[in-house]
Amino acid sequence: MVVLTGIFVVVRFTGLIDHMLPAGEPPKFTFAPDTPVPQTRNFFVACPDDLLPKTDRSMQSPHFNAAASTLADVMIETAPAHGMTAKTGVSGAEPGRLYFLARSPIFHFPDWVEVELVLPEKGGDISFCLFAQSVYGLDDIQQNEKRTRAWIADVTKLMHGK
């Protein structure tokens, strides 16, 4: 048992596990009410009501009276507190999209979090759509939902303070 624990500690804390569990590419989700969602239970979606796909694994995203760059900066700034790292250089990345890689605390299983900024029409408020999905497994035991709700709460608190 001591040997197995030692092997786990070496693999986990040297970064080897990140190479053993590659994240691959983000899912590049399409945000629309008629978009089919995965059949697995390893995702969570947040969008304004008019773009929200039909699923019980979702929430309505907040709106902010701010510039897109301010919202993006706050999202990037608060992501590390929720175990996420902003990723640049994603192949096929679209303008107005942010990509974050989250890893579970113990085993470092990767989850992709994809954010599309929803720009206001004629002076309205900015919002966003978010899709978080585990790379491995069929059920995430609501970890993407918990992370997303906590992160959005922090983003909302900071955005209302600006």
Side-chain angles (χ1 to χ4, degrees), residues 1-11:
M1 187 63 149
V2 172
V3 172
L4 290 177
T5 302
I7 291 171
F8 173 75
V9 168
V10 168
V11 170

Side-chain angles (χ1 to χ4, degrees), residues 26-145:
K28 299 194 175 72
F29 192 76
T30 301
F31 298 101
D34 57 348
T35 297
V37 295
Q39 295 300 309
T40 58
R41 306 284 297 162
N42 67 347
F43 71 94
F44 191 73
V45 181
C47 272
D49 198 40
D50 61 330
L51 294 172
L52 197 58
K54 291 169 183 43
T55 177
D56 63 335
R57 299 183 66 84
S58 65
M59 69 177 281
Q60 188 172 350
S61 60
H63 293 74
F64 306 103
N65 184 5
S69 60
T70 302
L71 177 57
D73 289 346
V74 167
M75 291 183 126
I76 292 168
E77 175 186 327
T78 56
H82 299 279
M84 296 183 291
T85 305
K87 293 294 180 184
T88 57
V90 171
S91 67
E94 299 173 25
R97 287 210 178 204
L98 304 171
Y99 300 93
F100 299 90
L101 184 61
R103 288 200 175 260
S104 62
I106 297 174
F107 292 107
H108 263 220
F109 290 113
D111 296 350
W112 276 108
V113 180
E114 182 175 7
V115 176
E116 180 179 321
L117 301 177
V118 179
L119 301 175
E121 293 184 26
K122 298 184 182 179
D125 291 344
I126 188 166
S127 189
F128 60 89
C129 287
L130 178 149
F131 182 72
Q133 185 176 31
S134 301
V135 175
Y136 299 102
L138 302 177
D139 194 328
D140 66 357
I141 314 165
Q142 298 177 325
Q143 292 306 303
N144 281 301
E145 179 177 358

